[in-house]
Amino acid sequence: MSCTDAKTMVEGTDFEKKHTPMIECKDTVKAGEIFEVKIHTAGVEHPIEDGHFIQFIELKVGNIPLARADLTQYAKPEVVFHIKAPSEGHEGNVMKLTAYAYCNLHGIWKYEKEIKIE
């Protein structure tokens, strides 16, 4: 599967915004801290219909899977995960989170956010 990156959510089209899985979380976390990551579409509601819906939302750090939610046509494409930042010794590093959303009609979309570890 190929991924489609939206330009920016300020310049993106409604089509891009309803497919791109935005990541909402702190910009900075402490080493070893458990923090909340909310993933939802970028400002435009995605259809929730029998023939058109988001089938899954997945969160990774680098290539490592952290969490995944499988959805049906009866579920709003919005999830909250609680993840743990890397442990002590990683202070000053950056952790890149990548969210993926798979639309049954329009394929897989991704969004990335960098989190600083203090």
Side-chain angles (χ1 to χ4, degrees):
M1 279 183 225
S2 62
C3 293
T4 304
D5 290 301
K7 298 168 190 165
T8 69
M9 290 309 94
V10 173
E11 300 171 3
T13 66
D14 282 354
F15 179 79
E16 290 171 320
K17 290 177 183 181
K18 74 179 174 184
H19 289 96
T20 301
M22 293 297 296
I23 297 172
E24 277 187 36
C25 66
K26 298 178 179 182
D27 293 328
T28 304
V29 296
K30 294 183 185 329
E33 176 182 354
I34 294 175
F35 63 101
E36 183 176 287
V37 178
K38 181 177 179 180
I39 302 170
H40 58 87
T41 56
V44 176
E45 296 261 340
H46 189 279
I48 306 172
E49 304 167 352
D50 286 344
H52 189 197
F53 60 99
I54 299 293
Q55 287 185 299
F56 69 79
I57 294 174
E58 187 173 53
L59 181 64
K60 292 184 177 185
V61 61
N63 290 324
I64 301 168
L66 296 176
R68 178 180 163 130
D70 290 308
L71 306 169
T72 69
Q73 67 272 31
Y74 304 108
K76 184 176 180 177
E78 181 174 302
V79 297
V80 175
F81 298 122
H82 292 89
I83 63 169
K84 184 177 178 183
S87 58
E88 291 181 19
H90 290 90
E91 296 88 353
N93 290 331
V94 172
M95 172 174 62
K96 185 191 293 186
L97 296 177
T98 306
Y100 297 90
Y102 180 75
C103 171
N104 69 321
L105 291 181
H106 302 108
I108 196 157
W109 295 70
K110 78 175 182 179
Y111 182 81
E112 296 176 331
K113 180 174 179 172
E114 291 187 345
I115 312 298
K116 184 176 179 186
I117 302 166
E118 58 179 31

